[in-house]
Each structure stands twice: as structure tokens, then as C-alpha cells.
Amino acid sequence: MGPVIWFPGHEKLLGTIASATNCSLFDENGKRYTDLESGVWCTSVGHAHPRILGVMAEQAARLAHTGFSYSTRVVEAAAEEILALHGFEGGACTFLCSGSEAVEYGVRAARQLSERPLFLTMSDSYFGAYGSASTRSTDHWTLFDWSGCDTCPHAGPCDSTCPTWKKIPFGRIGAFLFEPGSSSGFVRFPPEKLINGIARTVRQNGGLLIVNEVTTGIGRTGRWFGYQHYDVTPDIVAMGKAIGNGYPVSVTALSSTVTKRLNATPVPYAQSHQNDPLGAAIAREVIRIIHDDNLIYRSSELSTLLTQELLAMRKKRRLQAFRARGLMVAMDIEDRPGAPVTGRIHRRLLDEGYVVGRRPGTNTLRIDPSLTIEEEDLRGFLTTFDALLTAEETDHA
């Protein structure tokens, strides 16, 4: 096993990476790889960004960690900037260490306010490694299977005339926990009218809307947050991964409506690194870099390039489908019994110097590059990917 326990289900494919800058990884022999996964969806503004390194050094030298009885101004300042992104003036934030924590904190806050026993979410959502949101037990959760909704022929809004819609026990739902795009790594985007209808109905019944933006937030989808592709206004938003650019910080933001209803009653969750100034300072700087460098617009522009090129590749039989929103892209490869095409392309991309994501045991490859990726690197990947698809058709026809 060795001294380090690796991620379950994921194979360690590379030797030791010695250094990284922006989207370039360098191994001990100096070979360069292009990181198209942002680590684990995390390095939103690239590895070793000089402004992030500067803030880390400056804040760590001043005050990195606080206790339960004292804080520092940077935490409040970071919270104010994050709340402004959501229009949550008068709301409040807490800083944590992981996306799992941020989602769980939001769920606990909503449970504290809910008079109904069930929370609703999509059956293919993933919310973290522990807590109520991860277990999704049937006594606390209703899982909605929307697998046929993306091809629904009905032109009107979702309502009780639909047999699938009728299965949702809205009278017992206290909150809707919405994940706007990850679908456990498969990158699927629920239809707008479905999400708008669910959110509207839950709200009409006095329920809350919680949004998990751990993978879709901080510019990933070509907007600041994934929920902005829908006509919804959240009450609680969980953020992680990209907001720390590789540093373990996450945030749960509560609207003013939620904080007023809590009425200073504490959410039953506390840990040693909650509201640490170092994480807060980094999160604030990530937001400022994205603002200053206009990276939301840039990610949308690069997404257009990716989409156009992948559409052209759809003519090749091996590329079954792709799904893209901003710099969040999944590509489904045609596998056949005894011919693991996806695994072969995944490894050949690595041989050519491109690190892409693959959900273990599936035919889906995923790219989620930093918003700062060079256009030249994206074009290099597209050229290589196209050549590998062509080789599969020629060599294994």
C-alpha cells in the first residue's frame, strides 16, 4: 500500500509531480503535462498564482488561525464580498474547510427552520463524504429521478398533469437541495423549466432553496454560479473547491431571510478551523482576481471554442455525446464489449501530456481547466483528442 492511502476508486497514473504553474505540471524529469482537471476542480485561477501566493504569505505571517473567542477583520471583509456576489446583503457567511462541510452546514441550517420532514434533491446528485446530505436516508430525503425530463415533449411548465411530477410529495418538502450541473461527475444539466418549477413550488409551500455550488461555482459554468443559468433565487449557497484555488477553504452563505428566521440561534455545527483568516483571505483574493482579469467572460469565450470543435468531432463515431457549460465539459466515448476505448484514450491523452478526468468504470471523460488556461493549451488538447478518435476508428474499425 505504501505510506499514503490513495483515493478509493481512482488510479494513480503519474509519477511524482515536482512543480506546477497555471495549468502546467512538471514531473521530476521535467516532462510537462497540461492539467485539464484543475487538480480536483479546484485551481480556478491556476496553480501557484502569484497573487494567491502573496496573500498566503502575507496573511500567514500576520494571523493564519483564530480561536472561538476572537477573529480579525479579513474574515468579515471576505464574507461581505462573497455575499455581494449572491445579492445576499444583510446575510451571513461561515468559512469551513471542504465542500462536504459547506453543504452539510447549509442542510443543518435549513433543517433548523423547516417544519416539514423531507428535503428534495435529484437522484444523481452528490453532496459530500459525510452527514445527512451524503446518506440521503428515506426518512429525511426524497430523491427525484429526472432521467426522462430532458427529453420531455410537453411545451408548458412542469405541473401536476405530469405523472412524474405527481410523485414529488411537495406537502412534506421543507427544502430543495439543487446541484446545477455535476450529477456525480457526469456533468448533466437539469432542464430549466423543471428546476424553476420545483423551486417555485417549494417556495410557495414555505420551503427553502439550497444550492450546491462546490463544483459549478466561481466561474466554472461561464457565470459566477451555476444557479444563474436558471430563474431561481437561492436562500442558502454552499461553495468550495474553486473558491480556495487549491487551499482547503469552503463557504456557506445564508440570505438575510434565513439569518432573520434563525434569529441568532446558532446552527449546530462547529470545528477548529471555522472562520480562519488565512482561508478567508485566499477566498477573497480568488474573487478579486476573477473580477480584475474578467475571467467569467473569458471562460464563456473559451467554452465557445470547445463547443464548436467538439461539435465537429461528433461526426466521428467514437464520440457519442458531449455536455458543456462554460469550462465544465463531459465527453462520452463509445465503448464496446472487450474494447475499452475510453480507458485507452484516457491513457493516450496522458502519454501526450494531457491530464483529464475519468469517472472510474465509465465511458465519460471530463475536462474542467482553470479559468486562466492558455487558449493554445486548449487547442493542443482538441487536436490531440481529435487525432486519437480518428486513430480509434482507423485501427479498431
Side-chain angles (χ1 to χ4, degrees):
M1 175 182 289
V4 177
I5 300 173
W6 200 244
F7 302 94
H10 292 269
E11 186 180 0
K12 188 176 180 181
L13 297 173
L14 287 177
T16 302
I17 295 299
S19 65
T21 180
N22 196 17
C23 296
S24 297
L25 309 175
F26 300 92
D27 68 16
E28 291 180 321
N29 298 314
K31 181 175 178 178
R32 177 182 180 268
Y33 297 86
T34 300
D35 182 3
L36 293 171
E37 288 189 280
S38 302
V40 187
W41 313 68
C42 293
T43 55
S44 53
V45 296
H47 294 278
H49 193 290
R51 283 178 57 176
I52 299 296
L53 296 179
V55 163
M56 290 177 72
E58 181 183 352
Q59 186 61 50
R62 183 182 295 117
L63 181 65
H65 170 69
T66 53
F68 293 129
S69 58
Y70 62 98
S71 186
T72 188
R73 173 60 185 155
V74 70
V75 180
E76 289 186 7
E80 288 166 358
E81 293 192 26
I82 291 166
L83 291 168
L85 292 177
H86 299 287
F88 279 5
E89 286 75 10
C93 283
T94 194
F95 293 85
L96 300 156
C97 294
S98 72
S100 298
E101 282 191 278
V103 173
E104 181 63 17
Y105 189 96
V107 168
R108 292 191 189 189
R111 290 272 180 213
Q112 197 159 311
L113 300 176
S114 177
E115 297 178 356
R116 293 182 173 87
L118 296 176
F119 280 14
L120 172 69
T121 193
M122 302 304 194
S123 58
D124 58 349
S125 297
Y126 175 79
F127 295 124
Y130 68 96
S132 170
S134 86
T135 58
R136 298 187 299 183
S137 59
T138 55
D139 55 337
H140 289 114
W141 291 89
T142 288
L143 305 183
F144 179 71
D145 181 1
W146 64 280
S147 56
C149 296
D150 53 344
T151 56
C152 174
H154 179 55
C158 299
D159 56 32
S160 58
T161 61
C162 171
T164 303
W165 181 270
K166 284 182 179 179
K167 295 177 183 178
I168 304 175
F170 283 110
R172 303 182 68 211
I173 301 296
F176 172 37
L177 177 48
F178 172 42
E179 181 187 66
S182 179
S183 297
S184 297
F186 285 106
V187 185
R188 297 172 181 143
F189 306 104
E192 186 175 354
K193 73 171 184 176
L194 172 65
I195 298 305
N196 295 348
I198 290 175
R200 181 178 60 251
T201 306
V202 169
R203 274 275 176 70
Q204 289 171 348
N205 291 342
L208 297 170
L209 175 60
I210 313 166
V211 184
N212 171 20
E213 291 283 356
V214 173
T215 58
T216 50
I218 319 300
R220 171 58 56 200
T221 66
R223 298 187 183 178
W224 270 105
F225 297 100
Y227 72 78
Q228 292 171 335
H229 294 274
Y230 299 84
D231 185 20
V232 299
T233 302
D235 299 290
I236 299 171
V237 182
M239 295 153 278
K241 293 186 182 295
I243 203 165
N245 200 52
Y247 183 84
V249 60
S250 61
V251 188
T252 307
L254 312 179
S255 70
S256 60
T257 302
V258 172
T259 56
K260 287 174 183 175
R261 288 180 61 187
L262 286 171
N263 193 26
T265 303
V267 176
Y269 190 97
Q271 54 102 313
S272 302
H273 295 282
Q274 194 164 339
N275 296 326
D276 266 353
L278 181 54
I282 292 168
R284 181 179 66 169
E285 192 65 15
V286 167
I287 290 168
R288 290 180 174 184
I289 291 168
I290 292 172
H291 270 306
D292 292 347
D293 295 345
N294 203 16
L295 293 180
I296 304 295
Y297 175 78
R298 186 174 188 273
S299 70
S300 181
E301 289 287 291
L302 291 176
S303 178
T304 300
L305 164 65
L306 280 167
T307 300
Q308 289 174 344
E309 294 295 324
L310 289 171
L311 275 171
M313 290 183 210
R314 277 296 309 276
K315 299 174 184 176
K316 299 181 186 298
R317 193 161 47 87
R318 294 292 184 228
L319 181 59
Q320 285 185 325
F322 75 92
R323 297 169 295 283
R325 186 170 281 173
L327 290 178
M328 184 176 191
V329 183
M331 302 160 292
D332 295 337
I333 311 299
E334 181 192 82
D335 276 341
R336 296 173 298 170
V341 178
T342 309
R344 192 158 52 232
I345 289 178
H346 185 223
R347 287 181 175 274
R348 287 181 176 174
L349 281 167
L350 195 66
D351 292 339
E352 295 293 330
Y354 295 98
V355 179
V356 304
R358 183 190 179 195
R359 184 171 170 79
T362 74
N363 69 326
T364 299
L365 299 179
R366 196 184 65 237
I367 62 170
D368 317 286
S370 302
L371 309 186
T372 52
I373 190 167
E374 298 293 340
E375 183 176 328
E376 180 183 355
D377 284 333
L378 274 186
R379 289 189 180 278
F381 161 75
L382 289 165
T383 299
T384 301
F385 185 52
D386 186 40
L388 290 175
L389 289 173
T390 300
E392 283 293 335
E393 292 201 350
T394 302
D395 298 343
H396 304 277

PDB file of all heavy atoms in Angstrom, residues 192-223:
ATOM      1  N   GLU A 192     -34.267  23.736 -17.467  1.00  0.00           N
ATOM      2  CA  GLU A 192     -34.586  24.976 -16.756  1.00  0.00           C
ATOM      3  C   GLU A 192     -36.012  24.981 -16.229  1.00  0.00           C
ATOM      4  O   GLU A 192     -36.270  25.364 -15.088  1.00  0.00           O
ATOM      5  CB  GLU A 192     -34.358  26.171 -17.686  1.00  0.00           C
ATOM      6  CG  GLU A 192     -34.528  27.506 -16.998  1.00  0.00           C
ATOM      7  CD  GLU A 192     -34.180  28.680 -17.894  1.00  0.00           C
ATOM      8  OE1 GLU A 192     -33.696  28.440 -19.020  1.00  0.00           O
ATOM      9  OE2 GLU A 192     -34.404  29.827 -17.479  1.00  0.00           O
ATOM     10  N   LYS A 193     -36.960  24.555 -17.051  1.00  0.00           N
ATOM     11  CA  LYS A 193     -38.354  24.635 -16.607  1.00  0.00           C
ATOM     12  C   LYS A 193     -38.621  23.682 -15.432  1.00  0.00           C
ATOM     13  O   LYS A 193     -39.445  23.985 -14.564  1.00  0.00           O
ATOM     14  CB  LYS A 193     -39.313  24.365 -17.763  1.00  0.00           C
ATOM     15  CG  LYS A 193     -39.395  22.916 -18.233  1.00  0.00           C
ATOM     16  CD  LYS A 193     -40.540  22.756 -19.238  1.00  0.00           C
ATOM     17  CE  LYS A 193     -40.720  21.302 -19.657  1.00  0.00           C
ATOM     18  NZ  LYS A 193     -41.888  21.141 -20.563  1.00  0.00           N
ATOM     19  N   LEU A 194     -37.902  22.558 -15.388  1.00  0.00           N
ATOM     20  CA  LEU A 194     -38.069  21.629 -14.277  1.00  0.00           C
ATOM     21  C   LEU A 194     -37.581  22.260 -12.980  1.00  0.00           C
ATOM     22  O   LEU A 194     -38.291  22.258 -11.960  1.00  0.00           O
ATOM     23  CB  LEU A 194     -37.297  20.338 -14.556  1.00  0.00           C
ATOM     24  CG  LEU A 194     -37.213  19.347 -13.391  1.00  0.00           C
ATOM     25  CD1 LEU A 194     -38.592  18.802 -13.048  1.00  0.00           C
ATOM     26  CD2 LEU A 194     -36.245  18.211 -13.712  1.00  0.00           C
ATOM     27  N   ILE A 195     -36.372  22.808 -13.006  1.00  0.00           N
ATOM     28  CA  ILE A 195     -35.800  23.394 -11.796  1.00  0.00           C
ATOM     29  C   ILE A 195     -36.606  24.616 -11.360  1.00  0.00           C
ATOM     30  O   ILE A 195     -36.910  24.788 -10.167  1.00  0.00           O
ATOM     31  CB  ILE A 195     -34.328  23.773 -12.033  1.00  0.00           C
ATOM     32  CG1 ILE A 195     -33.519  22.520 -12.355  1.00  0.00           C
ATOM     33  CG2 ILE A 195     -33.754  24.500 -10.826  1.00  0.00           C
ATOM     34  CD1 ILE A 195     -33.611  21.413 -11.310  1.00  0.00           C
ATOM     35  N   ASN A 196     -36.975  25.453 -12.319  1.00  0.00           N
ATOM     36  CA  ASN A 196     -37.768  26.625 -11.974  1.00  0.00           C
ATOM     37  C   ASN A 196     -39.097  26.228 -11.336  1.00  0.00           C
ATOM     38  O   ASN A 196     -39.548  26.845 -10.367  1.00  0.00           O
ATOM     39  CB  ASN A 196     -38.028  27.479 -13.219  1.00  0.00           C
ATOM     40  CG  ASN A 196     -36.757  28.077 -13.797  1.00  0.00           C
ATOM     41  OD1 ASN A 196     -35.707  28.050 -13.162  1.00  0.00           O
ATOM     42  ND2 ASN A 196     -36.848  28.605 -15.007  1.00  0.00           N
ATOM     43  N   GLY A 197     -39.715  25.176 -11.885  1.00  0.00           N
ATOM     44  CA  GLY A 197     -40.995  24.718 -11.348  1.00  0.00           C
ATOM     45  C   GLY A 197     -40.866  24.148  -9.948  1.00  0.00           C
ATOM     46  O   GLY A 197     -41.697  24.433  -9.066  1.00  0.00           O
ATOM     47  N   ILE A 198     -39.846  23.329  -9.723  1.00  0.00           N
ATOM     48  CA  ILE A 198     -39.642  22.758  -8.388  1.00  0.00           C
ATOM     49  C   ILE A 198     -39.359  23.863  -7.377  1.00  0.00           C
ATOM     50  O   ILE A 198     -39.954  23.906  -6.280  1.00  0.00           O
ATOM     51  CB  ILE A 198     -38.488  21.740  -8.404  1.00  0.00           C
ATOM     52  CG1 ILE A 198     -38.891  20.484  -9.186  1.00  0.00           C
ATOM     53  CG2 ILE A 198     -38.091  21.354  -6.977  1.00  0.00           C
ATOM     54  CD1 ILE A 198     -37.768  19.471  -9.348  1.00  0.00           C
ATOM     55  N   ALA A 199     -38.440  24.765  -7.718  1.00  0.00           N
ATOM     56  CA  ALA A 199     -38.084  25.841  -6.788  1.00  0.00           C
ATOM     57  C   ALA A 199     -39.294  26.708  -6.466  1.00  0.00           C
ATOM     58  O   ALA A 199     -39.516  27.073  -5.297  1.00  0.00           O
ATOM     59  CB  ALA A 199     -36.964  26.686  -7.383  1.00  0.00           C
ATOM     60  N   ARG A 200     -40.079  27.028  -7.474  1.00  0.00           N
ATOM     61  CA  ARG A 200     -41.267  27.869  -7.271  1.00  0.00           C
ATOM     62  C   ARG A 200     -42.264  27.166  -6.347  1.00  0.00           C
ATOM     63  O   ARG A 200     -42.810  27.777  -5.411  1.00  0.00           O
ATOM     64  CB  ARG A 200     -41.910  28.192  -8.608  1.00  0.00           C
ATOM     65  CG  ARG A 200     -43.132  29.085  -8.502  1.00  0.00           C
ATOM     66  CD  ARG A 200     -43.698  29.418  -9.880  1.00  0.00           C
ATOM     67  NE  ARG A 200     -44.091  28.210 -10.611  1.00  0.00           N
ATOM     68  CZ  ARG A 200     -43.436  27.739 -11.664  1.00  0.00           C
ATOM     69  NH1 ARG A 200     -42.336  28.327 -12.097  1.00  0.00           N
ATOM     70  NH2 ARG A 200     -43.874  26.650 -12.278  1.00  0.00           N
ATOM     71  N   THR A 201     -42.505  25.887  -6.574  1.00  0.00           N
ATOM     72  CA  THR A 201     -43.495  25.155  -5.781  1.00  0.00           C
ATOM     73  C   THR A 201     -43.036  24.989  -4.335  1.00  0.00           C
ATOM     74  O   THR A 201     -43.830  25.151  -3.398  1.00  0.00           O
ATOM     75  CB  THR A 201     -43.771  23.783  -6.420  1.00  0.00           C
ATOM     76  OG1 THR A 201     -44.143  23.958  -7.791  1.00  0.00           O
ATOM     77  CG2 THR A 201     -44.881  23.063  -5.690  1.00  0.00           C
ATOM     78  N   VAL A 202     -41.754  24.659  -4.147  1.00  0.00           N
ATOM     79  CA  VAL A 202     -41.224  24.528  -2.784  1.00  0.00           C
ATOM     80  C   VAL A 202     -41.346  25.858  -2.049  1.00  0.00           C
ATOM     81  O   VAL A 202     -41.750  25.899  -0.874  1.00  0.00           O
ATOM     82  CB  VAL A 202     -39.758  24.047  -2.828  1.00  0.00           C
ATOM     83  CG1 VAL A 202     -39.106  24.160  -1.446  1.00  0.00           C
ATOM     84  CG2 VAL A 202     -39.687  22.604  -3.314  1.00  0.00           C
ATOM     85  N   ARG A 203     -41.018  26.948  -2.727  1.00  0.00           N
ATOM     86  CA  ARG A 203     -41.119  28.279  -2.124  1.00  0.00           C
ATOM     87  C   ARG A 203     -42.568  28.612  -1.755  1.00  0.00           C
ATOM     88  O   ARG A 203     -42.848  29.159  -0.684  1.00  0.00           O
ATOM     89  CB  ARG A 203     -40.593  29.324  -3.085  1.00  0.00           C
ATOM     90  CG  ARG A 203     -39.094  29.547  -3.011  1.00  0.00           C
ATOM     91  CD  ARG A 203     -38.779  30.566  -1.885  1.00  0.00           C
ATOM     92  NE  ARG A 203     -37.357  30.731  -1.708  1.00  0.00           N
ATOM     93  CZ  ARG A 203     -36.550  31.345  -2.582  1.00  0.00           C
ATOM     94  NH1 ARG A 203     -37.043  31.804  -3.708  1.00  0.00           N
ATOM     95  NH2 ARG A 203     -35.285  31.466  -2.316  1.00  0.00           N
ATOM     96  N   GLN A 204     -43.489  28.319  -2.666  1.00  0.00           N
ATOM     97  CA  GLN A 204     -44.902  28.601  -2.402  1.00  0.00           C
ATOM     98  C   GLN A 204     -45.402  27.867  -1.170  1.00  0.00           C
ATOM     99  O   GLN A 204     -46.311  28.338  -0.473  1.00  0.00           O
ATOM    100  CB  GLN A 204     -45.747  28.232  -3.619  1.00  0.00           C
ATOM    101  CG  GLN A 204     -45.571  29.167  -4.798  1.00  0.00           C
ATOM    102  CD  GLN A 204     -46.245  28.674  -6.069  1.00  0.00           C
ATOM    103  OE1 GLN A 204     -46.668  27.506  -6.145  1.00  0.00           O
ATOM    104  NE2 GLN A 204     -46.348  29.547  -7.069  1.00  0.00           N
ATOM    105  N   ASN A 205     -44.785  26.714  -0.882  1.00  0.00           N
ATOM    106  CA  ASN A 205     -45.157  25.927   0.296  1.00  0.00           C
ATOM    107  C   ASN A 205     -44.349  26.303   1.533  1.00  0.00           C
ATOM    108  O   ASN A 205     -44.405  25.598   2.546  1.00  0.00           O
ATOM    109  CB  ASN A 205     -44.982  24.428  -0.001  1.00  0.00           C
ATOM    110  CG  ASN A 205     -45.997  23.919  -1.007  1.00  0.00           C
ATOM    111  OD1 ASN A 205     -47.022  24.549  -1.245  1.00  0.00           O
ATOM    112  ND2 ASN A 205     -45.713  22.774  -1.608  1.00  0.00           N
ATOM    113  N   GLY A 206     -43.581  27.398   1.442  1.00  0.00           N
ATOM    114  CA  GLY A 206     -42.826  27.847   2.607  1.00  0.00           C
ATOM    115  C   GLY A 206     -41.471  27.198   2.774  1.00  0.00           C
ATOM    116  O   GLY A 206     -40.824  27.367   3.817  1.00  0.00           O
ATOM    117  N   GLY A 207     -41.009  26.453   1.752  1.00  0.00           N
ATOM    118  CA  GLY A 207     -39.725  25.772   1.846  1.00  0.00           C
ATOM    119  C   GLY A 207     -38.568  26.640   1.384  1.00  0.00           C
ATOM    120  O   GLY A 207     -38.746  27.763   0.898  1.00  0.00           O
ATOM    121  N   LEU A 208     -37.352  26.104   1.511  1.00  0.00           N
ATOM    122  CA  LEU A 208     -36.123  26.825   1.192  1.00  0.00           C
ATOM    123  C   LEU A 208     -35.433  26.206  -0.021  1.00  0.00           C
ATOM    124  O   LEU A 208     -35.582  25.009  -0.287  1.00  0.00           O
ATOM    125  CB  LEU A 208     -35.165  26.796   2.379  1.00  0.00           C
ATOM    126  CG  LEU A 208     -35.632  27.489   3.663  1.00  0.00           C
ATOM    127  CD1 LEU A 208     -34.676  27.160   4.807  1.00  0.00           C
ATOM    128  CD2 LEU A 208     -35.732  28.993   3.463  1.00  0.00           C
ATOM    129  N   LEU A 209     -34.638  27.028  -0.719  1.00  0.00           N
ATOM    130  CA  LEU A 209     -33.810  26.548  -1.825  1.00  0.00           C
ATOM    131  C   LEU A 209     -32.343  26.626  -1.408  1.00  0.00           C
ATOM    132  O   LEU A 209     -31.817  27.713  -1.154  1.00  0.00           O
ATOM    133  CB  LEU A 209     -34.050  27.386  -3.081  1.00  0.00           C
ATOM    134  CG  LEU A 209     -33.141  27.062  -4.281  1.00  0.00           C
ATOM    135  CD1 LEU A 209     -33.308  25.613  -4.733  1.00  0.00           C
ATOM    136  CD2 LEU A 209     -33.419  28.014  -5.446  1.00  0.00           C
ATOM    137  N   ILE A 210     -31.705  25.459  -1.337  1.00  0.00           N
ATOM    138  CA  ILE A 210     -30.276  25.355  -1.056  1.00  0.00           C
ATOM    139  C   ILE A 210     -29.595  24.975  -2.361  1.00  0.00           C
ATOM    140  O   ILE A 210     -30.058  24.086  -3.070  1.00  0.00           O
ATOM    141  CB  ILE A 210     -29.983  24.261  -0.004  1.00  0.00           C
ATOM    142  CG1 ILE A 210     -30.922  24.374   1.197  1.00  0.00           C
ATOM    143  CG2 ILE A 210     -28.523  24.294   0.443  1.00  0.00           C
ATOM    144  CD1 ILE A 210     -30.904  23.136   2.093  1.00  0.00           C
ATOM    145  N   VAL A 211     -28.482  25.634  -2.692  1.00  0.00           N
ATOM    146  CA  VAL A 211     -27.768  25.298  -3.927  1.00  0.00           C
ATOM    147  C   VAL A 211     -26.351  24.856  -3.592  1.00  0.00           C
ATOM    148  O   VAL A 211     -25.634  25.530  -2.847  1.00  0.00           O
ATOM    149  CB  VAL A 211     -27.726  26.485  -4.912  1.00  0.00           C
ATOM    150  CG1 VAL A 211     -27.057  26.056  -6.214  1.00  0.00           C
ATOM    151  CG2 VAL A 211     -29.124  27.009  -5.195  1.00  0.00           C
ATOM    152  N   ASN A 212     -25.966  23.712  -4.149  1.00  0.00           N
ATOM    153  CA  ASN A 212     -24.601  23.201  -4.007  1.00  0.00           C
ATOM    154  C   ASN A 212     -23.771  23.689  -5.187  1.00  0.00           C
ATOM    155  O   ASN A 212     -23.900  23.194  -6.301  1.00  0.00           O
ATOM    156  CB  ASN A 212     -24.627  21.671  -3.972  1.00  0.00           C
ATOM    157  CG  ASN A 212     -23.229  21.072  -4.054  1.00  0.00           C
ATOM    158  OD1 ASN A 212     -22.230  21.739  -3.780  1.00  0.00           O
ATOM    159  ND2 ASN A 212     -23.151  19.807  -4.438  1.00  0.00           N
ATOM    160  N   GLU A 213     -22.909  24.676  -4.938  1.00  0.00           N
ATOM    161  CA  GLU A 213     -22.061  25.249  -5.989  1.00  0.00           C
ATOM    162  C   GLU A 213     -20.597  24.823  -5.821  1.00  0.00           C
ATOM    163  O   GLU A 213     -19.693  25.492  -6.321  1.00  0.00           O
ATOM    164  CB  GLU A 213     -22.162  26.779  -5.961  1.00  0.00           C
ATOM    165  CG  GLU A 213     -23.508  27.320  -6.389  1.00  0.00           C
ATOM    166  CD  GLU A 213     -23.719  27.306  -7.889  1.00  0.00           C
ATOM    167  OE1 GLU A 213     -22.776  26.938  -8.619  1.00  0.00           O
ATOM    168  OE2 GLU A 213     -24.826  27.682  -8.335  1.00  0.00           O
ATOM    169  N   VAL A 214     -20.368  23.703  -5.166  1.00  0.00           N
ATOM    170  CA  VAL A 214     -18.995  23.275  -4.905  1.00  0.00           C
ATOM    171  C   VAL A 214     -18.238  23.038  -6.204  1.00  0.00           C
ATOM    172  O   VAL A 214     -17.068  23.421  -6.341  1.00  0.00           O
ATOM    173  CB  VAL A 214     -18.983  22.023  -4.007  1.00  0.00           C
ATOM    174  CG1 VAL A 214     -17.573  21.465  -3.873  1.00  0.00           C
ATOM    175  CG2 VAL A 214     -19.551  22.364  -2.631  1.00  0.00           C
ATOM    176  N   THR A 215     -18.880  22.421  -7.196  1.00  0.00           N
ATOM    177  CA  THR A 215     -18.213  22.173  -8.477  1.00  0.00           C
ATOM    178  C   THR A 215     -18.594  23.191  -9.542  1.00  0.00           C
ATOM    179  O   THR A 215     -17.818  23.436 -10.471  1.00  0.00           O
ATOM    180  CB  THR A 215     -18.530  20.758  -9.008  1.00  0.00           C
ATOM    181  OG1 THR A 215     -19.945  20.616  -9.145  1.00  0.00           O
ATOM    182  CG2 THR A 215     -17.992  19.692  -8.079  1.00  0.00           C
ATOM    183  N   THR A 216     -19.771  23.778  -9.460  1.00  0.00           N
ATOM    184  CA  THR A 216     -20.271  24.644 -10.530  1.00  0.00           C
ATOM    185  C   THR A 216     -20.025  26.123 -10.272  1.00  0.00           C
ATOM    186  O   THR A 216     -20.260  26.953 -11.151  1.00  0.00           O
ATOM    187  CB  THR A 216     -21.781  24.427 -10.732  1.00  0.00           C
ATOM    188  OG1 THR A 216     -22.436  24.523  -9.454  1.00  0.00           O
ATOM    189  CG2 THR A 216     -22.069  23.069 -11.333  1.00  0.00           C
ATOM    190  N   GLY A 217     -19.562  26.487  -9.084  1.00  0.00           N
ATOM    191  CA  GLY A 217     -19.422  27.879  -8.725  1.00  0.00           C
ATOM    192  C   GLY A 217     -18.094  28.506  -9.092  1.00  0.00           C
ATOM    193  O   GLY A 217     -17.173  27.861  -9.589  1.00  0.00           O
ATOM    194  N   ILE A 218     -17.986  29.813  -8.861  1.00  0.00           N
ATOM    195  CA  ILE A 218     -16.768  30.606  -9.033  1.00  0.00           C
ATOM    196  C   ILE A 218     -16.301  30.582 -10.495  1.00  0.00           C
ATOM    197  O   ILE A 218     -15.141  30.372 -10.808  1.00  0.00           O
ATOM    198  CB  ILE A 218     -15.644  30.144  -8.069  1.00  0.00           C
ATOM    199  CG1 ILE A 218     -16.225  29.845  -6.688  1.00  0.00           C
ATOM    200  CG2 ILE A 218     -14.566  31.210  -7.958  1.00  0.00           C
ATOM    201  CD1 ILE A 218     -16.898  31.021  -6.025  1.00  0.00           C
ATOM    202  N   GLY A 219     -17.277  30.790 -11.410  1.00  0.00           N
ATOM    203  CA  GLY A 219     -16.955  30.966 -12.826  1.00  0.00           C
ATOM    204  C   GLY A 219     -16.894  29.713 -13.657  1.00  0.00           C
ATOM    205  O   GLY A 219     -16.711  29.798 -14.877  1.00  0.00           O
ATOM    206  N   ARG A 220     -17.068  28.573 -13.068  1.00  0.00           N
ATOM    207  CA  ARG A 220     -16.889  27.316 -13.791  1.00  0.00           C
ATOM    208  C   ARG A 220     -17.811  27.189 -14.997  1.00  0.00           C
ATOM    209  O   ARG A 220     -17.420  26.650 -16.042  1.00  0.00           O
ATOM    210  CB  ARG A 220     -17.112  26.140 -12.812  1.00  0.00           C
ATOM    211  CG  ARG A 220     -17.174  24.749 -13.416  1.00  0.00           C
ATOM    212  CD  ARG A 220     -15.941  24.385 -14.186  1.00  0.00           C
ATOM    213  NE  ARG A 220     -14.719  24.496 -13.408  1.00  0.00           N
ATOM    214  CZ  ARG A 220     -13.520  24.606 -13.924  1.00  0.00           C
ATOM    215  NH1 ARG A 220     -13.363  24.644 -15.239  1.00  0.00           N
ATOM    216  NH2 ARG A 220     -12.453  24.700 -13.147  1.00  0.00           N
ATOM    217  N   THR A 221     -19.048  27.650 -14.889  1.00  0.00           N
ATOM    218  CA  THR A 221     -20.030  27.427 -15.959  1.00  0.00           C
ATOM    219  C   THR A 221     -20.203  28.632 -16.887  1.00  0.00           C
ATOM    220  O   THR A 221     -21.162  28.704 -17.653  1.00  0.00           O
ATOM    221  CB  THR A 221     -21.409  27.066 -15.371  1.00  0.00           C
ATOM    222  OG1 THR A 221     -21.915  28.203 -14.651  1.00  0.00           O
ATOM    223  CG2 THR A 221     -21.312  25.860 -14.460  1.00  0.00           C
ATOM    224  N   GLY A 222     -19.272  29.581 -16.845  1.00  0.00           N
ATOM    225  CA  GLY A 222     -19.396  30.768 -17.676  1.00  0.00           C
ATOM    226  C   GLY A 222     -20.185  31.875 -17.012  1.00  0.00           C
ATOM    227  O   GLY A 222     -20.368  32.957 -17.595  1.00  0.00           O
ATOM    228  N   ARG A 223     -20.662  31.636 -15.808  1.00  0.00           N
ATOM    229  CA  ARG A 223     -21.264  32.650 -14.946  1.00  0.00           C
ATOM    230  C   ARG A 223     -20.684  32.442 -13.552  1.00  0.00           C
ATOM    231  O   ARG A 223     -20.059  31.421 -13.279  1.00  0.00           O
ATOM    232  CB  ARG A 223     -22.790  32.535 -14.931  1.00  0.00           C
ATOM    233  CG  ARG A 223     -23.404  32.761 -16.314  1.00  0.00           C
ATOM    234  CD  ARG A 223     -24.912  32.820 -16.281  1.00  0.00           C
ATOM    235  NE  ARG A 223     -25.449  32.969 -17.638  1.00  0.00           N
ATOM    236  CZ  ARG A 223     -26.741  33.006 -17.927  1.00  0.00           C
ATOM    237  NH1 ARG A 223     -27.642  32.911 -16.953  1.00  0.00           N
ATOM    238  NH2 ARG A 223     -27.142  33.144 -19.178  1.00  0.00           N
TER     239      ARG A 223
END
